[in-house]
Amino acid sequence: EGGILITGSHMSPERIGIIPMLGDGRYASASMTDSLEDRMGSAKTPCSCAQWDKVLPVDHSRGSGMAYLTSVARNVDVQSIFPRHFKVLLDPGNGTACLVAKQLFERLGCEVIMVNGTIKPVPDRKAEVRASTCTEAMSLVRTRGCDVGFCFDGDADRVLVITGKGTALSEDLVGALFASHFLGTGETCVTAVNASGLIEWACSKVGATVHY
């Protein structure tokens, strides 16, 4: 009938987001979440609270991580990647990617160097993945001779890609690279209205159209 999504994305470490979801996968409406907040606030038995930085240890389900790794491996060209033995730097930012990132890239035959790879309530770097917050990773990619680097935010739904020269790529550039690789003549790229004009240029080069 529904579900609850827990997120710390875009928030300071002492806060957490609780997002109710409907049975069809949509976010609950504002009126529904307001009603839930009112009911929780007026509960006869108040909830007890723990200090935000003392909620440890956490029991991580091994089964879910393995299911995730298997799913990702099915959707990439493992046979093309594995023989090349890429040297990869990973910076999970002490977030959830610590649980799966290293295992995933090792499955793909990569040599992995980790930084900020232990889960912590307060990360050792800012959670936002920007060139300004991932300078350590950018430097290590270059000095350790890595082929590529990936930095993740706290809940691992955003990534910063770093070239072997230690240069961070913009989101728009990465999106354009994906479009150039996957799209062909007559196909359509769907993108958000705040995308840069680079996606238009990339699609025009391969004969694809853009739908905002």
Side-chain angles (χ1 to χ4, degrees), residues 35-135:
S35 173
L36 287 171
E37 289 180 13
D38 291 341
R39 291 167 66 182
M40 291 178 67
S42 60
K44 293 181 179 179
T45 305
C47 298
S48 60
C49 296
Q51 289 179 281
W52 67 272
D53 56 347
K54 304 298 182 185
V55 188
L56 289 173
V58 177
D59 181 23
H60 303 288
S61 169
R62 296 179 181 177
S64 61
M66 188 57 64
Y68 174 77
L69 292 171
T70 301
S71 175
V72 173
R74 282 200 304 262
N75 286 280
V76 298
D77 190 349
V78 179
Q79 291 183 339
S80 294
I81 299 171
F82 200 95
R84 301 183 69 175
H85 303 294
F86 290 113
K87 189 173 184 179
V88 178
L89 182 127
L90 301 177
D91 181 355
N94 306 110
T96 54
C98 294
L99 302 173
V100 293
K102 187 173 188 291
Q103 297 93 312
L104 173 61
F105 281 88
E106 286 179 342
R107 272 194 177 200
L108 300 176
C110 300
E111 177 187 346
V112 176
I113 297 173
M114 290 277 285
V115 61
N116 301 317
T118 303
I119 285 187
K120 294 182 178 181
V122 183
D124 291 330
R125 66 159 169 80
K126 291 183 179 180
E128 295 289 336
V129 280
R130 298 284 185 266
S132 60
T133 60
C134 298
T135 54

